[in-house]
Amino acid sequence: MTTLDLPAETTAAPAPDRAPASPRTAPPPERRIRIGGVTREDVLTILGAATGSLALDWILYERVMPFSGAFGFVLCWYLLFLVGYTVLGRLQWGALLVRERLVSVLAWSAGLAVVGLIFDQIGYVAMRGYEAAQHLNFFTQSMETTSALSPITSGGALHAIVGSLEQLGLATLFAVPLGISAAVFMSEVGGRMARPVRTLVEAMTALPSIVAGLFILGVVIITLGFEKSGFAASLALTVMMMPIVTRAAEVVIRLVPGTLREASFALGASQWRTVWNVVLPTARPGLVTAVVLGMARGVGETSPVLLTAGFTTQMNANPFHDRQVSLPLYIWNYVKQPYPDMVARAFAAALTLMVIVLVLFVTARVLGGRRPGQLTRRQRRRIERGARAAERAALERRTVVAAGPAVAGTHRTSGTAAAGAS
């Protein structure tokens, strides 16, 4: 008989005493990483570089070098500031970060310089022209009965304001359709003629304004026999404005995504409908900017107007007959005179010209500055009316469908009753 040796019972040895589990340590607080922005180190570095470069610039200009002049002082200070900022930045940052922040400083300083120059020009013109612009007669009278020695309370620039608005309006009426049509042809139609048209437009962009005035003077006034007038001046301004509008509009139209055109073609639209309903509405904000650029180029031109519109001190609201003055020509004629009141009138006219450009720009942005795809009030009302009409039609269909079985049951009941009576 064989016995099986069973293993002896083994008892688990008690586990050695373990140290009590320590409570879970709280994670460190999260730090928000800020991408970009300005830190305290950036500000201190800029201030240190600006202060040190200013002190070094003063030593060089006043004690060491035989330099003089405010412009040279500021230019030298700026160059020394860039060098000092690069050196201080290299002591605390890497080369890549130093280059990045140096480019940021260059961009910010260039923007501030441009804004400062603009405000300086506006302030100077406003200061010189306030003496004449503060009197209401400057905006309500012409120079017909005013001489060079007349007081500042006599005469004004009403005839020049009217002339500028009419000439600019006619030039915009002529240049904008032609410019946008040429841009659509070059970007959407193409073909063999696209390259010559583009070359001609680029050549016209660099055309001196005096050449445009001479062209209208030789062709329209001398050859065709038209008289000097606001209409002839508007034709000269059209020659100046059209290439600006065309080039800017072409760039904007080319930025429209091609997928929008493909979607329009896939829905069965023709090329004309695609351009009119898809491309141009999408590029509307950029086209408005192109128009404003062209108007800004034309409103300040003097030499084409001088050759084609002539000069007059009388009020002429008809641009198709007789001479008509504009604000640039008014400024050019009076700013060179040795009489302080005449110079004040010229600066007041310059200030008025700035205000007109600002008003035109704001009006253009309000009228055409909607985002791509943003609907007008009329379009929203039309969509709402269509939605309400569709909702009423759907409600009527549901009512008819719901009333159908009841009407059928009524007919069946009446038919059964009639059969039983018979």
Side-chain angles (χ1 to χ4, degrees):
M1 181 175 179
T2 307
T3 60
L4 297 176
D5 296 333
L6 297 177
E9 293 183 1
T10 58
T11 59
D17 294 338
R18 295 181 179 177
S22 60
R24 181 175 298 177
T25 58
E30 296 182 356
R31 292 184 58 187
R32 179 174 296 179
I33 300 176
R34 222 171 70 175
I35 301 177
V38 179
T39 62
R40 183 177 61 182
E41 290 78 6
D42 295 337
V43 176
L44 294 178
T45 304
I46 291 176
L47 292 178
T51 306
S53 59
L54 178 60
L56 181 59
D57 188 25
W58 181 82
I59 292 174
L60 292 177
Y61 257 74
E62 298 295 334
R63 302 301 180 188
V64 179
M65 300 294 182
F67 296 153
S68 62
F71 178 75
F73 182 85
V74 174
L75 180 61
C76 185
W77 179 24
Y78 182 69
L79 296 177
L80 291 174
F81 164 74
L82 294 179
V83 175
Y85 183 79
T86 304
V87 173
L88 292 179
R90 194 64 184 89
L91 294 176
Q92 52 185 332
W93 303 316
L96 183 60
L97 188 58
V98 169
R99 287 197 297 268
E100 178 185 353
R101 298 193 176 183
L102 182 60
V103 172
S104 300
V105 169
L106 287 171
W108 274 95
S109 58
L112 292 176
V114 171
V115 173
L117 289 174
I118 292 175
F119 277 103
D120 178 71
Q121 293 177 5
I122 295 176
Y124 179 77
V125 172
M127 182 179 62
R128 295 290 302 273
Y130 177 74
E131 182 182 358
Q134 65 179 338
H135 300 288
L136 186 61
N137 61 279
F138 181 80
F139 303 99
T140 58
Q141 298 179 9
S142 65
M143 297 292 292
E144 183 176 1
T145 59
T146 305
S147 64
L149 298 178
S150 298
I152 200 68
T153 56
S154 174
L158 178 62
H159 59 307
I161 295 174
V162 173
S164 287
L165 292 178
E166 291 182 350
Q167 294 171 18
L168 182 62
L170 289 175
T172 305
L173 182 64
F174 299 150
V176 171
L178 291 175
I180 295 180
S181 300
V184 170
F185 171 75
M186 291 187 293
S187 59
E188 299 294 327
V189 179
R192 295 182 178 179
M193 292 300 298
R195 185 182 295 273
V197 172
R198 184 176 293 107
T199 303
L200 181 61
V201 170
E202 292 177 356
M204 290 179 63
T205 305
L207 185 70
S209 58
I210 189 67
V211 176
L214 289 173
F215 171 74
I216 298 300
L217 176 65
V219 175
V220 177
I221 296 177
I222 297 178
T223 304
L224 300 181
F226 285 85
E227 59 181 348
K228 290 186 177 182
S229 60
F231 173 71
S234 66
L235 293 179
L237 296 180
T238 301
V239 177
M240 302 303 303
M241 292 171 55
M242 188 174 61
I244 304 295
V245 176
T246 302
R247 293 196 64 182
E250 182 189 8
V251 172
V252 171
I253 292 175
R254 286 182 178 274
L255 293 178
V256 176
T259 53
L260 296 179
R261 300 180 178 88
E262 295 173 0
S264 178
F265 293 147
L267 293 175
S270 62
Q271 186 179 18
W272 160 248
R273 300 299 299 179
T274 299
V275 171
W276 185 257
N277 292 337
V278 177
V279 176
L280 293 181
T282 305
R284 181 174 51 244
L287 294 177
V288 171
T289 304
V291 173
V292 171
L293 289 175
M295 295 171 66
R297 172 67 186 273
V299 73
E301 292 293 341
T302 304
S303 53
V305 180
L306 176 64
L307 295 174
T308 54
F311 184 83
T312 180
T313 59
Q314 301 177 358
M315 179 68 183
N316 180 19
N318 185 6
F320 299 96
H321 176 69
D322 209 355
R323 299 171 182 265
Q324 188 182 54
V325 71
S326 63
L327 281 174
L329 191 55
Y330 181 96
I331 297 168
W332 178 83
N333 188 73
Y334 290 147
V335 77
K336 62 182 181 179
Q337 295 192 10
Y339 306 103
D341 290 343
M342 286 297 187
V343 176
R345 292 187 180 97
F347 276 98
L351 183 61
T352 305
L353 185 60
M354 290 182 180
V355 174
I356 290 176
V357 172
L358 178 62
V359 170
L360 292 175
F361 177 79
V362 173
T363 304
R365 297 302 300 177
V366 170
L367 294 179
R370 294 188 300 273
R371 297 185 300 272
Q374 185 178 0
L375 302 178
T376 62
R377 294 182 179 179
R378 180 181 299 179
Q379 292 173 338
R380 288 197 296 267
R381 288 196 297 266
R382 187 186 306 167
I383 292 175
E384 291 174 359
R385 287 197 300 267
R388 286 195 296 267
E391 185 178 355
R392 287 195 299 268
L395 181 60
E396 292 175 358
R397 285 196 299 270
R398 287 196 298 268
T399 303
V400 171
V401 171
V407 174
T410 303
H411 286 306
R412 284 197 301 270
T413 303
S414 60
T416 304
S422 61

